Every structure is written in structure tokens, then in C-alpha cells.
């Protein structure tokens, strides 16, 4: 299959009606191969989330919503009780795939609530149709939130700047435009020329494989650096701003993102470089007072010792592999969400901006 045109990555699609299926780009194959895969049962959707075929907080949420639609297909011709029992089983199962990105739990909760509202008045088939409609709404809302974040964030950047990002917070990680990368795309569309430095992002190289690919697709200048080079690149004066995404933001603005983000924020602070985090309201978890409470995913040590098919550490060596870290709010100049900028990053300002209505987007 051929690569998309530059403006349309479309990382996820639903094909057909309630008896249809989920189609997604298999991100583990990029940048060497661009392949869309079809997912027709909930186990395959779970595996795709766990193995990062689809990854990035918003995209995980959208995939899970469609995963529910796939998962309830075998219960649409039975009783209402049987349908709800299957729905809960499927939602609990999908929730066990990855723990950090709150968008996963947020989307599953929306799906459960949609079904609950129809429990007494509809047939399982009608509820399944409403679930598919809700998944499509979640998908479409994310598209709009990405565009709004792009607009708000682009105003922070100036023509000719060097900017740095970590991991991939682009179209691949969202409905189509990204969070952090949306800021770069919108700035470029408004005529600002940026040079993006993409941390390669150990151990799974989302920066080198995915961010570099996406920026190339959209014709934005990009230079890949090893994670360990970021501080030196800042010291050389090449970076005027850092923008990353997030997987979960606590009520006080502490932000969990791909492992290595915290170190980038510390280095940015040491060089007086503004550090921004772009994330939609679906990534905020106001039930957690601070980032200390965010669950951090621990992943297979083999991602470090045997990455991409080659052994790079001795047999039997101890390995620690947290997939995320937490950047404290005090290191973040602004949070960029679809409602606008959250600055200063405090509990009060997070609550205030998130309570703004959709008309502000
Ligand atoms: O492990 P991943 O690739 O799912 O981690 C993704 C990130 O850390 C992204 O920066 C984050 O989800 C923001 S995506 C818009």
C-alpha cells in the first residue's frame, strides 16, 4: 500500500457499519513499510495497543472506542443483559492493555455511559449502533481538538526558530494532526519556517521512526538526534522552544509523557528555553492531585536488551524499563489545550481553562 499524501495520515478508520471493522496503520513497521491492517476482534485490538501498532494517547483512546464496537458484535442478537455483560467484559479487557494514557480510560468510560443511557429503551443492535456513533464522535472531536491546539500553540513560535520534540505526538498518535506536532504544522501553514530537532526516543525510537517520517511527509525540516544529545544541542543555541505531548496530566499540571521528557524539561530549564506541553482535555486526569499518582507503565526488558532484533546487553543483566516519566508543572511554561493556553501551570488555572466551553475552541 502506498504512503498517504502529506496532509492526511488517517492513522485509524472504521470500515463499514456495525458489523464492520477497525483499520489502522501498523506503526511498528514505519518508516520502512507503510501498511494498514484490519482488526476484526477485540483480542487483536488489545494486542495492537499493547504492542504499539497504534500508540500515542489520543489514538489509543480512539482505537479502544472502536475496539468496543468490534468486541460487542457477537452479542447484538442476544438479550440486553448478555449485551451489557459482554460490553463490560470487553471494556475491562481493553482497559488492561496499557496503564498510563488516560485517554484509554476516558474513551472506555464514554462508551459505557453511552450504552447505559439506552439500557432500558433499546435493543442490543440499537445500542451497538449508538456505540459506533459515539466512537465516531470521539474520533471526530479529536480531529477538531488537534486543529485548535495547533492554532493556539503556533502563536508561541516565531519564524526561523529551532524547536525540539520528544517521542511522537503527531498525526500518527491522534486522529490526524497531532498535539505537539500540530503546533509545528500550524506554524508552518501560517508561513513560519521552523527547524525541528526530533529526539530519537529510546528504546522504541518513536522520534526517529515516526516523528521524522511525519515531518518529512509534510515537508518540514527535521534533524534526528540521539536523546543524549539534547542538552548539547540546546547549549549550541539551536533550540528556542520545546514542545511535547502528554499521556496524562494531573490536576496540578504535572505531565506524564514518554520516558526522557522530564530530562528534556530539566535541560530546557537550564538553558532558559520555554518548555510547552500540548494535550487535549481528554488527556487531563483531574482525579489525581499530582503527577506522583500517575501510574507508570513498565515494559518488557527485551525492548532495551534486544531492540529491533539485535542483542545489545549481556544475557541475564538486570534492566529497568519505565515507559513514561513525569515532568513537574514548575518546569512547564504553558499547557496548550483545545481551549487555549494554561499559564501559569497551576491547579487553579488548569481547572479554570478546562471548564471553558467548546465555543472557545
Ligand atoms: O509509548 P507511546 O508511543 O504510546 O508514547 C506516546 C507518547 O509519549 C506521546 O508523546 C503522547 O502519547 C502524546 S501523543 C499526542
Amino acid at each position: 500500500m502506498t504512503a498517504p499524501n502529506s496532509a492526511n495520515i488517517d492513522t485509524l478508520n472504521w470500515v463499514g457499519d456495525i458489523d464492520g471493522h477497525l483499520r489502522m496503520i501498523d506503526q511498528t513497521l514505519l518508516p520502512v513499510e507503510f501498511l494498514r491492517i484490519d482488526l476484526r476482534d477485540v483480542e487483536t485490538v488489545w494486542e495492537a495497543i499493547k504492542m504499539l501498532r497504534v500508540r500515542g494517547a489520543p489514538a489509543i483512546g480512539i482505537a479502544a472506542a472502536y475496539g468496543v464496537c468490534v468486541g460487542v458484535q457477537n452479542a447484538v442478537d442476544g438479550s440486553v443483559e448478555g449485551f451489557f455483560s459482554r460490553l463490560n467484559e470487553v471494556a475491562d479487557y481493553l482497559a488492561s492493555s496499557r496503564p498510563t494514557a488516560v485517554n484509554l480510560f476516558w474513551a472506555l468510560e464514554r462508551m459505557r455511559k453511552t450504552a447505559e443511557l439506552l439500557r432500558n429503551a433499546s435493543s442490543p443492535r440499537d445500542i451497538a449502533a449508538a456505540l459506533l456513533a459515539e466512537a465516531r464522535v470521539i474520533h471526530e472531536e479529536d480531529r477538531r481538538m488537534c486543529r485548535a491546539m495547533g492554532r493556539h500553540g503556533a502563536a508561541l513560535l516565531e519564524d526561523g526558530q529551532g524547536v525540539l520534540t520528544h517521542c511522537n505526538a503527531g498525526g500518527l498518535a491522534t486522529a490526524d494532526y497531532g498535539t505537539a506536532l500540530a503546533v509545528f504544522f500550524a506554524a508552518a501553514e501560517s508561513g513560519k519556517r521552523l527547524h525541528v530537532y526530533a529526539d530519537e526516543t529510546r528504546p522504541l525510537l518513536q522520534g526517529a521512526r515516526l516523528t521524522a517520517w511525519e515531518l518529512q511527509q509534510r515537508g518540514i525540516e527535521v534533524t534526528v538526534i540521539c536523546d543524549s544529545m539534547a542538552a548539547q544541542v540546546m547549549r549550541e543555541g539551536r533550540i528556542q522552544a520545546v514542545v511535547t505531548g502528554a499521556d496524562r496530566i494531573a490536576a496540578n499540571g504535572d505531565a506524564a509523557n514518554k520516558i526522557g521528557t522530564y530530562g528534556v524539561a530539566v535541560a530546557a530549564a537550564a538553558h532558559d528555553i520555554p518548555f510547552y506541553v500540548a494535550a487535549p482535555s481528554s488527556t487531563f486526569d483531574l482525579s489525581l492531585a499530582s503527577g506522583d499518582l500517575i501510574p507508570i507503565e513498565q515494559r518488557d526488558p527485551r525492548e532495551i536488551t534486544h531492540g529491533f532484533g539485535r542483542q545489545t546487553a549481556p544475557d541475564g543483566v538486570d534492566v529497568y524499563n519505565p515507559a513514561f516519566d513525569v515532568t513537574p508543572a514548575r518546569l512547564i511554561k504553558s499547557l496548550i489545550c483545545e481551549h487555549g493556553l494554561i499559564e501559569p501551570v497551576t491547579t487553579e488555572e488548569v481547572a479554570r481553562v478546562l471548564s471553558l466551553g467548546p465555543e472557545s475552541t
Side-chain angles (χ1 to χ4, degrees):
M1 200 172 281
T2 51
N5 78 35
S6 57
N8 183 9
I9 288 203
D10 252 348
T11 191
L12 293 151
N13 285 98
W14 181 264
V15 182
D17 207 338
I18 61 165
D19 53 353
H21 65 274
L22 176 59
R23 179 170 287 168
M24 65 172 67
I25 298 170
D26 184 343
Q27 299 187 36
T28 62
L29 304 177
L30 284 170
V32 177
E33 194 179 347
F34 182 86
L35 181 73
R36 290 191 200 274
I37 51 173
D38 290 329
L39 298 85
R40 298 173 192 277
D41 58 61
V42 69
E43 289 77 16
T44 316
V45 178
W46 186 95
E47 190 271 352
I49 297 172
K50 180 77 184 171
M51 300 312 292
L52 314 194
R53 298 185 200 288
V54 58
R55 32 69 46 208
I60 291 172
I62 299 163
Y66 286 130
V68 168
C69 300
V70 169
V72 298
Q73 279 169 339
N74 59 9
V76 293
D77 291 322
S79 67
V80 171
E81 292 71 39
F83 183 86
F84 273 89
S85 139
R86 176 65 181 161
L87 170 63
N88 286 327
E89 181 186 32
V90 161
D92 290 347
Y93 175 58
L94 288 167
S96 71
S97 56
R98 296 190 74 189
T100 302
V102 76
N103 306 61
L104 172 68
F105 309 97
W106 168 88
L108 291 172
E109 196 47 34
R110 272 183 67 160
M111 298 298 276
R112 285 191 217 255
K113 279 191 181 142
T114 299
E116 264 325 313
L117 286 173
L118 297 171
R119 187 192 269 269
N120 296 322
S122 305
S123 67
R125 195 164 273 279
D126 289 343
I127 303 171
L131 285 172
L132 177 56
E134 182 67 3
R136 287 192 157 124
V137 169
I138 289 171
H139 196 170
E140 183 52 36
E141 276 178 15
D142 190 63
R143 239 184 264 281
R144 289 204 303 271
M145 293 192 290
C146 288
R147 296 281 160 171
M149 281 181 279
R151 282 198 304 277
H152 297 307
L156 300 167
L157 303 180
E158 286 168 29
D159 186 33
Q161 284 188 328
V163 292
L164 183 138
T165 192
H166 190 79
C167 195
N168 170 267
L172 289 166
T174 61
D176 83 335
Y177 200 60
T179 59
L181 295 199
V183 172
F184 303 156
F185 297 148
E189 281 162 23
S190 72
K192 293 175 187 169
R193 203 179 149 94
L194 302 175
H195 191 107
V196 181
Y197 287 83
D199 280 352
E200 65 175 355
T201 315
R202 282 277 295 154
L204 296 178
L205 307 186
Q206 288 92 330
R209 292 187 304 106
L210 308 177
T211 296
W213 179 81
E214 265 198 72
L215 290 167
Q216 273 188 341
Q217 293 289 314
R218 296 199 198 237
I220 294 178
E221 280 179 35
V222 56
T223 300
V224 173
I225 57 171
C226 299
D227 301 352
S228 50
M229 297 169 187
Q232 175 64 17
V233 171
M234 290 178 188
R235 189 163 182 266
E236 290 170 7
R238 296 175 194 267
I239 308 294
Q240 281 71 51
V242 177
V243 190
T244 73
D247 282 77
R248 191 184 299 225
I249 301 176
N252 70 345
D254 291 350
N257 192 50
K258 176 55 53 196
I259 191 74
T261 304
Y262 176 32
V264 172
V266 170
H271 294 88
D272 279 328
I273 295 168
F275 181 93
Y276 302 107
V277 174
S281 50
S282 52
T283 299
F284 287 73
D285 183 353
L286 301 186
S287 75
L288 303 183
S290 85
D292 295 345
L293 301 168
I294 296 175
I296 300 294
E297 178 181 13
Q298 301 293 328
R299 291 188 63 89
D300 188 341
R302 287 183 65 88
E303 291 178 347
I304 291 177
T305 58
H306 293 72
F308 302 97
R310 174 145 192 248
Q311 182 170 350
T312 53
D315 287 332
V317 74
D318 186 43
V319 169
Y320 181 49
N321 186 16
F324 298 95
D325 58 27
V326 176
T327 298
R330 69 185 151 76
L331 295 179
I332 304 171
K333 179 156 173 58
S334 310
L335 294 167
I336 304 162
C337 75
E338 74 272 21
H339 303 308
L341 302 185
I342 301 176
E343 185 180 338
V345 183
T346 60
T347 304
E348 297 68 32
E349 197 57 10
V350 168
R352 189 188 71 76
V353 176
L354 286 188
S355 70
L356 296 175
E359 68 276 4
S360 61
T361 63

